[in-house]
Structures are given as C-alpha cells and as structure tokens.
Amino acid sequence: MATDNRQVDQPASLWTQLRTMAGRGPAPYVLILAYAAIVSALLLVNPTTGLGTDMVVVLFLLLMFVIYRAPTILAFKLTLGTILLAVVMPVFGVLNPFYIDVVTKAGMFAALALGLNVVVGFAGLLDLGYVAFFAVGAYLWGIFSTPQISNIVSGMEPLHGSWFWLFLAIGLAVGAFFGVLLGLPVLRLRGDYLAIVTLGLGEVIRVLATNLDRPINITNGAQGIKDIGRPPLFIEPVFQAFGITISQVQEYRLYFYFLVLLVLALTVFVVHRLNNSRIGRAWTAIREDETAAIAMGIPLVRMKLLAFAVGASFAGTMGVIFSALQTFINPPTFDLLRSIGILSMVILGGMGSIPGTILGAVIVTLLDLQLLPRIASELAALQRRGVPIPAWFDPAQYQRLLFGLLLIIMMIFRPEGLLPEDRRRQELHHDEPEPAPVSKTVKPAAESAQSAEG
Amino acid sequence: MAVEATTGAELILTRRSFRSFMSEVFGPLLQVFLFVVGSAVALGGVVILLAVVLRGTREDIDLLQGTITILPQVIVDGLVRGFLYATIALGYTMVYGVLEFINFAHGEIFMVGAFVGAFFGAALASSGMLTTINPILFVIAAVLLGMAVSGLLAMSVERIAYRPLRNAPRLVPLISAIGVSLVLQDVMRMIAVNTGLGFNAQFRTPDLGQPLVLAHMPIADERTIPVSVDSRSLIFIVVAILMLIGLNYLVNITKLGTAIRAVAQDRPTASLMGIDVNRVIAITFLIGGALGGAAGILFGMRVGTINPYVGFLPGLKAFTAAVLGGIGNITGAMVGGIVLGFLEAFVASYLSLFTRGQFSGASYADIVAFSILILILIFRPSGLLGEVVAQKV
C-alpha cells in the first residue's frame, strides 16, 4: 500500500534499501507473522517470571506497535492484533499471572491517558488535577458497593456486584458532572493559571477524601475503603463449557483484562471520532490560538468545558473499574504523583496523538511496574555477587526522579513526543526546514489506516 | 552628548532626596503593616462576633473566653505564616514579572534551603560547636548559607531547564518546571537518606532562648495564662522584615533594580537600551531563589523536622498569595502572603473550636487557601494590588 516507489537520484543508503525491501509485496506479512510466531512461542513455552520473559513481553508489546505501523492491509492488522491480544495474551496470563496484571494496568492507564489527552493534547488545557476525577469514580463505586453506604443513607444495603455495569455509566456521568462543576469557574483563566488551579483542586479532593470521615463517615478517611465489590463472573460457564478449569482469581484476572481491553478500544474509537469531528477541529483551533478561535465564532467556554467533561468522564469510568480491580482504595492512591504520571504518559507519547498516548502509557507503566523493580532486583543480585553497586541505589524508589527527568528531557529535546501528531510537530518546529520526504511517504498511509487497536 | 547624558542620569540617581528614599524603601512595608493590622482586626472581630453568636451552643467550655484566650497566639501564628508565604511568593512574582512564567519548582528551592540549614546544624553538632556557638551568629550564618545555595540552584535551574525553552509555547516551560520540581525532590531525598540525615531530617539549632512573655491573660478565678511569642517565630518575623527592606532597596533604588523593572516592563525595549536581558533574568532567579532559601531556613528552624516533600504545599500556597496580591507586583506578593497567612491561621485554629472538633481545622485550612485562589481568579484576576492589563495578543 505504502511502497516507496519514487525515483531516487542518488544511491539509497543500506537502511533505506532494507526498508524498501521489507515494505514491499508479501515481505511485511511474512516478517510480521514470523515475528509474532516467535514471540508468542517464547511467551507460551517459558512463562516463568524473570528478566528474559520481561524482554519477551516488551517485544510482544513492540510487536503491537510494529503491526500498527506496518504497510499491510487493515484486515490483516486487525486479525493479527485481535489474535495476539485476545488469545495469546490471555493464555499466557493463565500460565503467569504477573504479566497480565501489568498489561491490564497499562491498558487502564492508556485509557486514562487518552482522556487526559483530550484535555491537554486536543484542547491545550493543562490539567494537573486529572486524578481528582479518577478518585471520584473510584470512591463512587467504593462507597456504593461496601457497607460505607449505610453511613450515608441509613438502612441502605451495599449494592450487589451486578450493579457494576450500571455504575460504569454512572461513573461516566458523575465524572462529566464534576468536570463541568470544576471546569466552570476555572476555564476562563489563561493556560498556566488553569494548571495551578487544577493542581489545587486535585489536592482539595485528596484532602476531602482524607477528612470526610467526620462528622459523617463517607470516605472512611485515611484508612481507605476495602472489600470493594466486584462484578459477578458471567464468563465462568463459558470456561466450563470448554472444559477449562481455572481458579476464580485467575478468572477475574482475565475478566478485567478483557474489560480493560474493551474499554480501551471504545475509548480509542470515541476519541478518534471526536478528534476528527467539528468539535475536535474547534479544540484544535482553541489550542492553536484562542483569540483567533473566538474571532472565528467558536464558543470558547462551551468547547473548553466539553473537553474538560469528556476527559473527566473517561477518568470517572476508569475509576469505577480501578476500584473494582483493586478492591481497595485510599487517599494516597490519588496523589499528585499519579496525575503527573498520567501527564508524562501523554507528553512522552506526544500530546494530541492517540497512538502516541497509548505508546507513552505502555512505556511508563512498564517502566514503573515491571522494568524498574526488575532492574532493582537484578542490581541487588549483582551486589550479592560482589559487584560494587552502592546499597542505596534502588531504581524502583526513584519514580519521581524518572518522571521529572522524562518531562525535562522531552520538553528540551523533543516537545512533540515520540509519536507526534503532524500538526503539533509543525507547530513546534516551524522554523526548521521540512524533513526529507523519504520518511513522510509511509506516514500518511499508516495514519489513515484508522487502526483502532493501536 | 553621550557623556553628558550619563552624568545627568547619575546626578538624578545621587540626588535622590532622603524623603523619596525612605518612601521607596519603607513605603511598601508600611502598606504591609497596614494589611497586618487590618487582617488582625478584621478577622479577630469576626471570630469574636461568631463566638458571641454561638456562645450558648457549647456547654463544656465558655466559647467567648476560649476565643479571646487563644487570639494573640493565633495572630502571631498568622504573622509567621504570612511572612513565610510572603518571602516565598516574592520568588514567584519576580520571576513572573520578568518572564510571565510560573516557576513551579520554586517550592523545591525553598525545601533545598531548609535542608541546607539542617545540614549546617548537623555539621556543627558533629563537630561539637552547636552548643557553644552564639545563637545570633548561627541564625545569620545559616540564613546566608541557605540564601547562597538556593539562589545559585535557582539560577542553574533557569540556565539548564528554562532558558532553552524561552520562546517555546507557554505550556512547554511549565511542564519542564514540573519536571525540575520532581527531580529536586528525589535528588534531595537521595542525598538526605544517604548522608545519615534521614528522610525526616532534624533541624538542629543551638538554644535559641525562651519564649518571650508579652502579657498575662486572666482566665476564670485568679488563674492567668501567659501570652507568649516563641523565640523562633520572633526570629522568623524579624529576619523576614529585614529581607523585605533589603529587597525594596535593591529593586527600587539600585541600578540593578531599575534594570529588573525595565525587563519586566518590556523585554525587547530593555535589551535595546543596553540591558543584558539574560543576565537580569538570571539575577532575578538568584534573588528569588535566595529569598526562598532564607524562608526555608527560617521555616525549618521553626518546625524542627523537615522532609524532601515539605516544599510542595507552602510553594502552592505562596503562589496563591502571589496571585492574591496581584502577580508580578512585589508589594502585592507581601500583602497577599500576609492576608493568606492570617486567613489560614484563623481557620486552622477556630474551625475546630466552633464545630466541636467535627472538622479538623488544620486540614481544611488548605482547602480554604485554594478556595481563595479560585475565588480571586474568578472575581478579581488582577489581585488585591495588581493593575488590570489587557491581554497581549
């Protein structure tokens, strides 16, 4: 589809030749299938937790990215992606529960980051208190599914797990409501003020969650809420019909994996459609130049509120899922660091770019949950063998440092992110000459492919 | 011609009358003083009124008497908080004045200052000099050391993380500043944990003297309770006032101050007038950082124990204070700090008293600070002393 068949004047470099060869005819299909087969086999044959499997999991996730960028037809991409995510990953998850948890978390944060991407990337409003809406959703389900509710409405019993599905929608609505409520006073402000005010609001929500155990015990204060309800397992009979017997813990693991995958796919679809709509263009206009946008007749406050509400509603729903997944929430779960973590996902991947945001979320979550602890334990092992590594050096302890350096380095050297949106790249590099068109010929084709799976 | 012009300018500078000198150095302080008295009287009046209204609601204690008994202590607390926010807010507001940029990492500059003091105290203690050193000398040395380290740190942060981004879109330097803030927190934690100071570092000082008893307040039958000011609070207030006088002198009288104000007003024109804009911006960061560092030392000395995340909340509130006073306005930052400090001190002390301990005042004081920020930004974005300026397109 996107073969590079322009006449090249000078002899192309080896890299370009290889690239052209791998991108033409049946070659990409063969290569990708081979890659997928090898990685899947490695995963399924040796599912023990360790540095090797870590690498294979990273390669597996890289494969998803390669599939997304590959010059193949859409049906092939979708089929292969679905098989890998819906068959290989769950089977691997049954064999080794650790990695599927990480992938579920990565998916959840990707959906959250996509919500923040609407606010920060599309509309250009820097929201540093995004986790507040996440907290609202989490506490909503946390309170209604535990005896906590009896403290507020006397005589009311905790809701049964099957209400969870309804609460996904309620979380959406409540998130949007809070988005509008908090957005209304602050959206008239200019960008940097907005950042500080949202930061303050995020803190306010956390302080409220810590202190609202008196006079009425609503949030159970600093102890947090435990034993949060989970939805009933309707997939159990399906497994039994296939003669597969796995424990309930594992079933829940798969259940939430598929749930997150589904929600992520839906989020990508909605965000993608929004971005290409009239509303999305209005957001872009506001981001580029507010004054000009007003002059062109864009209802500024309404559009900003909409962006805020859309972002907040995603966070509300993800909060409901998060609390059911963790079954325990407490105020420190929703501190500023989490907001900043989600923000660095968006910035790392590229503000305004959907595939970029997902990439950023996966990288940051992997680093945070899997790679840093692994590096730490490997270093500790080396240390025991006598390699002189200072005892205090524990990479897993320095997430702030990592996020901080990530933000600074990205801002100085590549403010448009790893996988930038075209418009943003032009905006940030307007004074530089256009890059050579060699790499550009592949790009539009890949982008127009509308790959909803990422 | 040129020679004549310079000598003329120097004449004007040297011929400044004593009166104008006094008004430029002490005028802003007078304004601050008026706000101190105003806030104390107004808020004190409000709580006494509330106490009279609510007098019957509590049987266990006499609400009015309780209110009046703690009032002097609350006012001192308000003063200390006020000067804390004022000294930090000056760093925000000066940087905002010259760059129109919120230096998010300023709270961490403040925290580093506090740690410098803790290291200084620990070093003296380990060499056995802590008990013998003159307390006044200790305070002076610690403050100067903290000012130097924090000032230089702020300047290098500007050089590394902000200067390359000066012409980028607005959000880019802000995000970089958030990154700096996180890095400073963790680097300081790394240093503190691995040098034996510990995560919760103890700020060791020589004996700074007994609390100063101002009066004895009579309560029920012939018992009295002393109304006293903690010596550390007193040091805080005195040093803060001295620094504000120094800053006013620097900004309003000296040639450097004129350059800073010129850059704040119009950067391109200032550079056409021969002012080295980059140098002035660096010096602004140096001054703001030094003030933040001194505030950190005084803060650490007063609270006794500090940790690497201690700068976040005061930084955020000091920003609120800067906005409250009118961001970019130096006197405004001091006034905003004072008003915010008083409000917080009153909420922190009286909320629990009036609600029978149902709401913990200390936690809700934070919420009050942010509510003020939001209200100010909605109804008077220019702040108490700021001027309304049209947005530059």
Side-chain angles (χ1 to χ4, degrees):
Chain A
M1 187 157 127
T3 45
D4 196 359
N5 49 9
R6 288 172 313 104
Q7 289 296 326
V8 188
D9 296 328
Q10 70 233 43
S13 67
L14 189 65
W15 169 242
T16 324
Q17 282 177 353
L18 273 179
R19 221 183 135 126
T20 321
M21 245 164 65
R24 191 178 282 162
Y29 296 90
V30 176
L31 287 175
I32 289 177
L33 278 178
Y35 182 6
I38 294 170
V39 170
S40 308
L42 281 175
L43 276 187
L44 299 179
V45 167
N46 181 21
T48 50
T49 308
L51 189 62
T53 318
D54 281 357
M55 294 300 163
V56 182
V57 169
V58 171
L59 285 178
F60 181 85
L61 293 169
L62 189 70
L63 172 65
M64 304 313 295
F65 179 66
V66 170
I67 292 176
Y68 165 71
R69 293 294 292 252
T72 57
I73 58 167
L74 184 61
F76 174 75
K77 292 184 183 187
L78 286 180
T79 320
L80 189 59
T82 315
I83 290 173
L84 288 173
L85 284 177
V87 180
V88 177
M89 198 63 210
V91 173
F92 174 60
V94 173
L95 298 173
N96 184 336
F98 173 69
Y99 293 101
I100 200 164
D101 273 353
V102 174
V103 174
T104 308
K105 288 261 168 61
M108 204 178 63
F109 282 117
L112 262 180
L114 281 172
L116 183 63
N117 186 37
V118 170
V119 187
V120 179
F122 293 171
L125 309 166
L126 186 56
D127 182 355
L128 294 180
Y130 187 64
V131 82
F133 308 116
F134 188 53
V136 166
Y139 268 99
L140 184 77
W141 176 241
I143 288 169
F144 273 90
S145 69
T146 56
Q148 211 62 36
I149 185 69
S150 322
N151 298 333
I152 305 163
V153 186
S154 58
M156 187 166 167
E157 290 295 310
L159 294 176
H160 183 250
S162 51
W163 283 80
F164 175 77
W165 297 99
L166 183 66
F167 266 75
L168 287 182
I170 296 179
L172 196 80
V174 170
F177 171 74
F178 270 85
V180 172
L181 195 73
L182 300 185
L184 213 49
V186 297
L187 283 178
R188 294 189 312 162
L189 306 173
R190 230 195 24 230
D192 35 11
Y193 278 115
L194 181 74
I196 302 282
V197 171
T198 47
L199 178 73
L201 287 174
E203 282 298 294
V204 166
I205 293 275
R206 199 177 55 78
V207 173
L208 279 180
T210 318
N211 286 291
L212 275 184
D213 50 348
R214 284 178 304 163
I216 311 169
N217 186 354
I218 298 176
T219 61
N220 204 21
Q223 284 97 42
I225 302 177
K226 58 180 196 299
D227 298 332
I228 295 170
R230 285 184 150 186
L233 278 171
F234 68 84
I235 50 171
E236 201 165 11
V238 181
F239 279 123
Q240 279 164 355
F242 281 101
I244 306 166
T245 44
I246 49 177
S247 71
Q248 205 175 14
V249 179
Q250 276 179 323
E251 273 175 323
Y252 264 120
R253 209 164 265 139
L254 293 183
Y255 185 84
F256 277 106
Y257 170 74
F258 280 111
L259 180 66
V260 165
L261 211 58
L262 187 74
V263 170
L264 179 62
L266 263 174
T267 313
V268 171
F269 178 72
V270 171
V271 169
H272 182 77
R273 299 292 293 172
L274 265 177
N275 194 25
N276 290 347
S277 72
R278 201 184 160 81
I279 297 169
R281 288 194 296 276
W283 285 338
T284 311
I286 291 173
R287 183 186 74 202
E288 301 295 317
D289 191 334
E290 237 171 62
T291 320
I294 301 172
M296 301 315 282
I298 289 170
L300 189 71
V301 172
R302 210 195 311 159
M303 281 300 157
K304 282 184 169 181
L305 264 186
L306 192 64
F308 227 64
V310 169
S313 58
F314 285 139
T317 304
M318 292 321 287
V320 172
I321 296 176
F322 179 78
S323 65
L325 174 69
Q326 299 284 24
T327 69
F328 171 72
I329 48 171
N330 63 351
T333 321
F334 308 103
D335 62 355
L336 176 71
L337 194 62
R338 191 157 299 239
S339 278
I340 304 265
I342 300 171
L343 182 70
S344 44
M345 293 170 193
V346 175
I347 286 167
L348 178 69
M351 283 189 273
S353 148
I354 295 171
T357 304
I358 297 175
L359 180 70
V362 171
I363 293 178
V364 170
T365 318
L366 274 184
L367 272 178
D368 202 7
L369 294 179
Q370 188 185 336
L371 298 183
L372 284 187
R374 174 75 60 219
I375 294 170
S377 68
E378 293 293 325
L379 281 182
L382 279 180
Q383 204 178 15
R384 276 195 297 276
R385 265 183 255 137
V387 183
I389 296 165
W392 51 268
F393 188 74
D394 179 4
Q397 290 279 311
Y398 294 99
Q399 293 168 350
R400 279 172 198 256
L401 191 68
L402 179 82
F403 287 160
L405 283 177
L406 200 72
L407 291 180
I408 301 174
I409 291 170
M410 288 306 284
M411 282 302 110
I412 292 180
F413 296 108
R414 203 175 158 88
E416 73 271 31
L418 291 178
L419 213 60
E421 187 209 23
D422 278 349
R423 185 191 297 273
R424 170 91 51 179
R425 190 178 47 218
Q426 285 163 15
E427 179 193 339
L428 287 164
H429 293 279
H430 54 86
D431 46 350
E432 292 164 20
E434 280 287 295
V438 179
S439 59
K440 290 214 95 177
T441 43
V442 184
K443 220 178 146 32
E447 218 121 281
S448 65
Q450 288 198 5
S451 169
E453 291 298 316
Chain B
M1 269 302 269
V3 176
E4 226 173 304
T6 2
T7 48
E10 269 168 13
L11 274 181
I12 294 172
L13 277 178
T14 47
R15 268 196 204 155
R16 190 189 296 277
S17 72
F18 181 68
R19 204 191 147 108
S20 82
F21 180 88
M22 291 306 279
S23 83
E24 276 175 6
V25 175
F26 291 99
L29 274 180
L30 191 70
Q31 222 167 349
V32 171
F33 179 70
L34 286 180
F35 268 94
V36 167
V37 175
S39 309
V41 169
L43 289 170
V46 168
V47 289
I48 290 174
L49 205 69
L50 268 175
V52 170
V53 172
L54 296 172
R55 197 167 185 183
T57 57
R58 280 186 79 158
E59 297 82 22
D60 46 345
I61 53 165
D62 185 349
L63 205 54
L64 185 59
Q65 196 180 43
T67 305
I68 293 174
T69 319
I70 61 171
L71 190 57
Q73 197 55 56
V74 174
I75 289 176
V76 171
D77 186 30
L79 262 181
V80 172
R81 282 177 194 240
F83 279 114
L84 171 69
Y85 296 148
T87 37
I88 308 174
L90 282 167
Y92 278 110
T93 221
M94 287 180 71
V95 166
Y96 194 90
V98 294
L99 282 181
E100 294 212 354
F101 153 68
I102 298 173
N103 182 12
F104 197 88
H106 192 58
E108 272 56 51
I109 302 286
F110 160 82
M111 175 274 292
V112 169
F115 265 92
V116 169
F119 278 116
F120 183 57
L124 284 186
S126 67
S127 64
M129 281 167 67
L130 198 62
T131 45
T132 53
I133 193 172
N134 183 348
I136 296 174
L137 193 68
F138 173 82
V139 171
I140 293 173
V143 167
L144 288 180
L145 200 64
M147 285 175 90
V149 173
S150 289
L152 289 176
L153 180 67
M155 217 163 91
S156 12
V157 164
E158 190 269 339
R159 183 67 195 83
I160 295 166
Y162 305 153
R163 195 179 292 180
L165 306 172
R166 200 169 288 159
N167 296 317
R170 272 197 112 84
L171 292 186
V172 171
L174 185 62
I175 293 169
S176 175
I178 295 171
V180 171
S181 148
L182 296 177
V183 168
L184 286 181
Q185 283 176 1
D186 249 10
V187 168
M188 195 32 106
R189 185 164 65 103
M190 204 188 273
I191 296 173
V193 169
N194 296 300
T195 50
L197 204 59
F199 179 81
N200 283 310
Q202 209 190 346
F203 197 116
R204 304 181 67 170
T205 58
D207 185 16
L208 292 176
Q210 297 300 310
L212 189 70
V213 178
L214 295 177
H216 286 275
M217 168 103 48
I219 53 166
D221 26 280
E222 73 260 2
R223 280 184 301 156
T224 60
I225 56 160
V227 177
S228 59
V229 187
D230 180 20
S231 57
R232 289 149 200 266
S233 305
L234 206 62
I235 292 172
F236 198 121
I237 296 169
V238 169
V239 176
I241 290 176
L242 285 178
M243 283 198 308
L244 297 190
I245 293 174
L247 183 74
N248 278 320
Y249 174 76
L250 185 75
V251 172
N252 290 336
I253 307 289
T254 62
K255 214 164 178 176
L256 177 67
T258 319
I260 292 177
R261 282 180 291 146
V263 171
Q265 203 165 32
D266 191 334
R267 214 189 310 163
T269 313
S271 85
L272 289 177
M273 298 290 134
I275 295 172
D276 183 350
V277 172
N278 274 339
R279 193 173 141 261
V280 168
I281 290 174
I283 289 176
T284 310
F285 271 90
L286 179 75
I287 298 171
L291 286 171
I297 297 270
L298 297 170
F299 172 81
M301 211 179 277
R302 181 155 180 270
V303 297
T305 314
I306 50 176
N307 69 52
Y309 305 143
V310 85
F312 173 68
L313 218 49
L316 203 55
K317 287 183 187 163
F319 175 76
T320 306
V323 174
L324 179 64
I327 193 149
N329 180 327
I330 290 180
T331 316
M334 303 182 204
V335 166
I338 292 290
V339 173
L340 186 71
F342 267 99
L343 270 173
E344 250 195 54
F346 274 82
V347 171
S349 308
Y350 285 111
L351 188 66
S352 328
L353 186 69
F354 286 158
T355 57
R356 303 165 171 228
Q358 296 285 0
F359 294 97
S360 109
S363 314
Y364 284 92
D366 297 347
I367 294 185
V368 167
F370 298 126
S371 315
I372 291 169
L373 175 64
I374 293 166
L375 289 177
I376 286 282
L377 287 174
I378 296 168
F379 293 109
R380 200 179 151 79
S382 55
L384 291 174
L385 300 185
E387 294 152 29
V388 180
V389 281
Q391 195 187 340
K392 287 180 200 161
V393 179

